[in-house]
Amino acid sequence: MARQNPLTPVMSRLRRPLSLTWAGLIAERLVRAFWPFWTVLAATAAALILGLQDMMPIEVVWVGFVLAGLGLIGFAIHGAMRFRWPRRQEAVDRMDSVMPGRPLAALGDRQAIGGGDPASEALWQAHLRRMAERASAAKAVEPDLALAPRDPFGLRYVALLGLVVALLFGSVMRVGSVSQMGPGTGTDLATGPAWEGWIEPPTYTGLPSLYLNDQKGEIRVPEGSRVTLRLYGEVGALSVAETVSGRTEDVGAATDTEHSFEIVSDGTLSIDGPGGKSWKIVAIPDEKPQVSLVSDGAKTTFDGQMSQPFKAEDDYGVVRGTATFRLDMDEIERRYGLAVDPEPREPITIDLPMPITGDRAEFTETLIENLSQHPWAHLPVTLEFEVSDATEQTGQSAPEQMKLPARRFFDPLAASVIEMRRDLLWSRDNATRVAQVLRAVSHAPEDGLFRSETAYLRLRVILRRLETLTAHDSLTTEAQEEVAQALWDLALVLEDGDIGDALERMREAQERLSEAMRNGASEDEIARLMQELRDATQDYLRQKSQQAQRDGEQQQGDQQLSENMMTLDQQDLQDMMDRIQELMEQGRYAEAEQALQEFQEMMENLRMTEGQQGQQGQNPGQEAMEGLAETLRDQQGLSDQAFRDLQEQFNPNSQQGQSQQNEGRDGSQGRGQSHQQGQGNQQGQGNQPGQQPGQQQGQSGEQGQQGQQGSLADRQEALRRELERQRGNLPGAGSEAGDAARESLDQADRAMRGAEEALRQDDLAEAIDRQSEAMEALREGMRNLGEAMAENNQTQGAQGQARGQFGDQQNDPLGRAPGQGAQVGTQDNLLQGEDVYRRARELLDEIRRRSGEGERPDVELEYLKRLLERF
């Protein structure tokens, strides 16, 4: 009896996984053979569903269809040739290959040796049972559908993505439009030939497209507009004729189904055939843009910032523009530093500001630029504006002759430094002359030409740097710019440097304002100098007014006041400065200068009067203010002495000459103490035997030099301790100004400590810097203390204390008689004069102006309102 094959029952149980594995083999071979076919098919379907055939020329569409059809046929044949139908045994081998030991193949094997041996047969049967168990657990094998080695660029995914996008955003109905694209097919044959067309103006014009089917007669469009025509129906039924494009090459046939060209000139456009039309085309040329300067609006601020308005226009809008400054050599006065030939420099080109929003067809803008540091500052130049449109057409303005706007310097020393800077930038050949002039300017600094010795030291450093570069022939362009920048910074310090004393600041502001009026300064410069005068005057009055008020309260009822005693209201000063500014704004500079002179005399009278009042008595606030002023003067003296010692290190030969100048009270006004000590030592020692007078003098100078640094440091320490004592007795605690004064004095204390440490380390430059910081903090503290005292006095004055009558006294600096009670002056003769009505109008305007200032107290605003209602 024949034995049953052990594979048969196992295969009956594996029928389902075997069928699935076989189906996977079929799918695997289909995918590998036909993936190019369905890739082309998906790409073609995506293009049709998206309607690309409606957006492309018909020739391109038909070429695409032909290529797609050939591709589909070719890839289908290629796939059919490569595809082989899998046999059942291949499915069995696929399943068997993934199981350990290949159990299906083992079950089909026969025992080759050991037949008839019970032990050998038993072993074989055990092996078959084990293989049958393994085979019974077999599962279907997944097909390998990976195509990356065959499609390294992922074309199948690209086509699939296009198909998904087409299904989401396209329409399957658009595929039917293909049937209407052929000649003599679809709806065109039923309805006859048809056409449609558009005229699209250039994008920069912002004009809409014109649909030719709706246009009649004459059409006016910009040059460069594009015409697009499409002809439908039987080829040859319609034709296009035009004389607007000026084409001579690649014209094409008049019966082509699509035409596209640009309009470059006037002419005609017609479509001949059933339903055709004809138009007269007028090409509107693109005009050149235009730009012009608005001369009456040009101005320059006090710091040299130029504002030059300009007007630009174009038919479709200006795109960009530039302003160009060119040096006008014919108008330059060639003398002094400008006598040599200048170094070549490129014209100054600045981009013009364009409107961010709105129409650029016509607009007015302002070019704002600061060219104060340019080498051509204040030299004759020509200014030319140029603008361009989208077609790169340009328009220029007429050259405008002017002097390059820049900052003006009214301080004589600052102006001379700026002039030497200009000469150096004009040509490096002027370096020797510039050095000579600067050395001549700084020859005698003790004459008061320099506001601070720090500025003098900076000038000497710049001068030494310039002479060194010139001597070694190493004045390169970079070094030239470096020295020019240093000169500019020095000029700013000389022009705007802080003058510690309020009275000196006020006098300096008056002088600069008077100089500006004589030199014909601009309105912005005069306004700035006028504001400086106001600030300086306010600082001066803030320090002095409270002393006068307190002295008046102490002398209440006393009829023996000095005949020179005069009172002055701060509002009177304000009105007088307003009058000066009004005269300057009206161009009446002679009257303004006369009024300024009267203002100076009035302030001198006020200073003399306050000096007399200060002798009557002092309160704690006044004592603190005077103590801080004395500390400030001592600190200034220490700083000056440190500067002289630093100067002696740079120029030892000037030691004797300077020691002769340093005479006077110790520590004040820059008079040094160490030199006096040296002189005292010399006198005490007398002439030693065997010593010549010159030797004795030299030894005394050496002795004074040895202990000089220690002496300065000790004096700095003593001054700091004095400041600590003054801080403990400072009035005005609890108020905002009083706290600010204490904070400023704390800063001064820290700066003094730094100066003391620098002096003990023989670092004079660092000590001078720290001493400058200390002096600035002291000035700020005194200013804040004055504000605290003013607030305190205003509070006391609001309590309604009665004041006595002034009796028979002289008029105030404004020529008015002292009033009664709390008044300053009287209303007598207030409106007497040649121009009563004008003065009344000015008073009414001033009342209206003040009533509109919301920051004024409510009580004052109500009072002003009642005045307006009454008058």
Side-chain angles (χ1 to χ4, degrees), residues 164-211:
V164 172
V165 171
L167 293 174
L168 291 175
F169 301 102
S171 175
V172 180
M173 303 300 296
R174 304 188 68 172
V175 179
S177 64
V178 178
S179 61
Q180 302 177 5
M181 299 185 66
T185 61
T187 310
D188 292 334
L189 288 178
T191 60
W195 60 272
E196 60 180 345
W198 303 266
I199 298 181
E200 302 176 35
T203 306
Y204 65 85
T205 63
L207 299 176
S209 299
L210 301 178
Y211 189 55

Side-chain angles (χ1 to χ4, degrees), residues 575-621:
D575 294 340
M576 195 166 187
M577 286 188 287
D578 290 341
R579 178 59 177 167
I580 294 173
Q581 185 169 2
E582 180 183 356
L583 291 173
M584 290 187 295
E585 291 176 353
Q586 295 176 359
R588 299 154 65 180
Y589 292 107
E591 299 179 30
E593 191 168 356
Q594 179 65 27
L596 182 61
Q597 181 66 28
E598 295 175 359
F599 177 81
Q600 294 172 351
E601 296 176 357
M602 180 179 61
M603 295 306 299
E604 289 294 335
N605 294 336
L606 177 63
R607 179 171 176 268
M608 293 174 58
T609 301
E610 290 176 348
Q612 296 173 359
Q613 292 178 358
Q615 300 174 0
Q616 301 293 332
Q618 294 182 344
N619 56 25

Side-chain angles (χ1 to χ4, degrees), residues 519-539:
N519 294 339
S522 65
E523 294 181 1
D524 290 336
E525 292 170 344
I526 291 179
R528 177 180 68 91
L529 296 174
M530 193 68 203
Q531 187 61 40
E532 288 183 3
L533 177 59
R534 293 176 188 272
D535 296 340
T537 305
Q538 194 173 25
D539 291 342

Side-chain angles (χ1 to χ4, degrees), residues 774-796:
M775 289 186 288
E776 181 62 28
L778 282 172
R779 296 187 187 105
E780 184 65 23
M782 295 174 64
R783 188 179 296 109
N784 293 329
L785 180 59
E787 293 178 357
M789 295 168 59
E791 293 175 0
N792 186 30
N793 289 333
Q794 290 176 1
T795 303
Q796 295 178 359

Side-chain angles (χ1 to χ4, degrees), residues 121 223 579 603 860:
E121 291 181 353
E223 285 184 357
R579 178 59 177 167
M603 295 306 299
E860 182 178 355

Side-chain angles (χ1 to χ4, degrees), residues 549-559 795-806 819-823:
Q549 291 180 6
R550 290 197 177 99
D551 290 344
E553 293 175 359
Q554 292 175 1
Q555 298 294 336
Q556 182 178 359
D558 190 357
Q559 301 299 326
T795 303
Q796 295 178 359
Q799 297 176 359
Q801 299 179 353
R803 299 176 182 269
Q805 296 182 356
F806 284 86
Q820 305 296 327
Q823 295 181 351

